[in-house]
Amino acid sequence: MGGVIRDLHPWPRTEAEAVAIQERLRPMVRVEDPPQVRTAAGLDVAYRDEDEIVAVVTVLDVASLSVVDSSVVRGKAEFPYVPGLFAFREAPPLLAALDELSVRPDVLVCDGQGLAHPRRFGLACHLGVLTDLPSIGVGKTAMGRYEPPGEERGDWSPLRLDDEVVGRALRTQRGVKPVFVSVGHRCTLDAACDLVLRLTPNYRLPETTRTADHLGRIS
């Protein structure tokens, strides 16, 4: 996938620099219907110790949910652990892993947040803008407030932050805790939730996340 990552900013050294980058890039996020999705990339980061990072990307054929490509990049975190600024720890190795792929995915499925973020620019937005690929965030925990959705697969309720709808609590399996879906870039919330349901035929988490997490554990 080499050569498609846009050089839009230097990587910051301070919190103030990082916040300024998020504020500057936020207007570049586009919410629109994505093109046809045949392949979806799962992105995950494992920590071997406080600063040792294993960044993993798996690319799945959405029809069969089989892995068609993958990459693993190891490195050191260059930015401190600051809530709301996780992208500055995790994006650099994830971008390096994306750069090693031979298959360009149609969408990025991030284990984290998109617009469900204090500055509406979570990891999924950041990676989407830098690659200009459609991207979505699928979080295990909520960034914001929500009422529990119905118990059936596909039921959802709005996820709100500062009285603004920033995503959805989506029930992917009957009677199982919801996941929290938000737009990253070049996608709509309806399309993001439809894709997540396609990626969760049997389990709570998308197969993109599950395969990336598994590869990170054994690498």
Side-chain angles (χ1 to χ4, degrees):
M1 214 185 92
V4 299
I5 295 167
R6 300 192 287 181
D7 184 17
L8 296 178
H9 63 81
W11 291 103
R13 297 192 176 276
T14 69
E15 291 184 35
E17 290 173 349
V19 169
I21 289 169
Q22 289 181 331
E23 298 285 5
R24 181 166 60 83
L25 297 189
R26 167 63 186 90
M28 298 179 70
V29 170
R30 304 203 309 272
V31 179
E32 61 190 28
D33 287 322
Q36 184 174 4
V37 175
R38 297 184 179 88
T39 57
L43 295 88
D44 191 46
V45 169
Y47 288 86
R48 290 290 181 262
D49 58 38
E50 185 174 338
D51 292 315
E52 187 75 26
I53 287 180
V54 180
V56 182
V57 180
T58 52
V59 182
L60 274 61
D61 176 277
V62 173
S64 66
L65 298 182
S66 59
V67 177
V68 296
D69 197 6
S70 64
S71 65
V72 178
V73 168
R74 296 169 181 80
K76 288 281 189 181
E78 301 291 338
F79 195 83
Y81 184 87
V82 181
L85 299 176
F86 294 151
F88 296 97
R89 283 176 71 83
E90 300 188 351
L94 286 170
L95 289 167
L98 283 168
D99 203 39
E100 291 189 357
L101 294 174
S102 57
V103 175
R104 180 177 171 84
D106 294 323
V107 64
L108 308 180
V109 181
C110 299
D111 179 26
Q113 314 296 337
L115 293 176
H117 179 274
R119 285 173 292 281
R120 309 300 185 265
F121 200 75
L123 177 65
C125 296
H126 207 140
L127 292 173
V129 166
L130 290 184
T131 60
D132 204 30
L133 287 170
S135 61
I136 65 174
V138 185
K140 302 182 191 75
T141 57
M143 178 73 77
R145 298 177 296 102
Y146 70 99
E147 296 295 328
E151 290 295 312
E152 296 302 320
R153 170 174 159 84
D155 287 346
W156 61 271
S157 61
L159 177 67
R160 290 185 168 88
L161 193 59
D162 304 324
D163 294 323
E164 178 184 352
V165 174
V166 294
R168 289 178 185 168
L170 176 67
R171 193 86 64 184
T172 55
Q173 299 296 324
R174 186 181 188 279
V176 173
K177 289 191 299 184
V179 297
F180 302 95
V181 181
S182 57
V183 168
H185 181 55
R186 294 184 58 199
C187 196
T188 65
L189 193 50
D190 282 343
C193 289
D194 288 347
L195 177 61
V196 170
L197 289 174
R198 292 171 68 189
L199 295 171
T200 53
N202 300 310
Y203 300 99
R204 176 190 179 220
L205 296 178
E207 289 302 304
T208 40
T209 301
R210 286 168 45 81
T211 54
D213 176 75
H214 176 71
L215 182 55
R217 291 176 187 275
I218 65 175
S219 296

